[in-house]
Amino acid sequence: MYELFSDLGSWLTSGEQWAGPDGIAHRLAEHLQYSLIATLVAAVIALPVGLLIGHTGRGAFLAINLSSFGRALPTVGLVVLVFLASGLSMTPVYVALVALAVPAIVTNTYAGMTAVDADVKDAARGQGMRAHQVLFQVELPLALPLIMTGLRLALIQVVATATIAAYVSFGGLGRYVFDGLAQRDLVQVLGGAVLVAVIAVVLDLVLAGLQRALFRHRHHAAH
Amino acid sequence: MTVEWAWISDHASDLATLTVSHLQAALTAVALGLLISLPLAVVAHRIRPLRGLLLGLSNVLFTIPSIAIFVLLLPVTGLTRTTTVVGLTVYTLVVLLRNTVEGLDAVPVKVREAARAMGTRPLRTLLTVELPLALPVIMAGVRIATVMSISLVSVATYIGDGGLGQLFTDGFQRNFPTPVITGVVLTLLLALVADALLVAVQYVLTPWTRKRGA
């Protein structure tokens, strides 16, 4: 076991391993690219839906069921299915990753919107604010912390799952996991897994820091 | 992409075996996850400094790609069902631990104080007052963990297990969509049925939550 860890240590730190098109630096960049594009696309789809459902109060049933449907959808199956239907491209990977991220963002956005105090909304309307003003100037800012939670959750899941790109012959850190599996090279598999976990945690911390920096002026002392 | 119905009827008994094996792996993992996270949640709830540590640790475990968890276990448990179940259990911990701690947190202080004032011992208070009141939130966690596990079992196909997930690798290798579609649909159905059953269980276990609407 000790030997395994020391091998892993030298795998992760050797300069040779970091360089070149198969190197960690390049694979890391690919992995980040897949993850960020997928999360961004998911956010563009999911945020308006979550805001609309939360604002109008209609379609909550849809939001809740969508989220449990999304969780139930087996990612491996989805990737293979889209792959067989559309052929060799990144499409299957992006479809699966976006499908994974959308429910988390929709449900958290919706939850954030419904958690906004009804009295606050009434007050805003009483002051003569229009529907879109209430939405963008009152509800949205108050719902932001939970919306950010949804985005962070989605990003973590996407980063962890983007490993699957390698299964359909693309890059990213999953390359090490799947190549290592095929070559029975445990060190390589573990190296890939550790890197994925590390960037997931780092990205989460970055988003958490961003969130804190943006909303420093607001303190929710007691709910 | 067409479904060859004949393939499905020809393989009905294989499909049934895979479905049972799939469900077995997922349910065992959730049961084990509950067994581990209930005591841990009580500790995290009572001892503040440990709370961040335990929740943080379970969050980190969640970021490890599932395929990597299975592979990580290979040197210890080999190509067995144990690897699948242990790997899935790790994933259930995040949801189960967080929800149980939140459920316990949400028990009103007054209720706890009333129990103490009546001379109820701490363990008894936990078992007969706090846990039942936390049950709706815990059950929400159990539902998420169950659906998630059912969907994740298929990842174990890379280590030779994976229940219905075997249909995905099979279809991928033979460029044959029917098993893949069948696998996805059966997985979704399993998750749907399991979730509905858990809602029913919760309904039976928490009669007091029903009276509110009346």
Side-chain angles (χ1 to χ4, degrees), chain B residues 17 34 36 50 56 93 104-105 160 167 175-176 184 208:
Chain B
T17 314
L34 260 180
I36 297 169
L50 283 179
L93 290 183
L104 288 173
D105 282 349
L167 298 172
N175 196 10
F176 180 36
V184 171
W208 60 89

Side-chain angles (χ1 to χ4, degrees), chain A residues 206-218:
Chain A
V206 169
L207 280 185
L210 196 74
Q211 187 178 356
R212 216 164 299 148
L214 283 174
F215 313 115
R216 207 175 14 198
H217 56 285
R218 242 189 287 128

Side-chain angles (χ1 to χ4, degrees), chain B residues 184-196:
Chain B
V184 171
V185 171
L186 283 176
T187 309
L188 287 176
L189 277 179
L190 268 188
L192 204 76
V193 171
D195 195 50

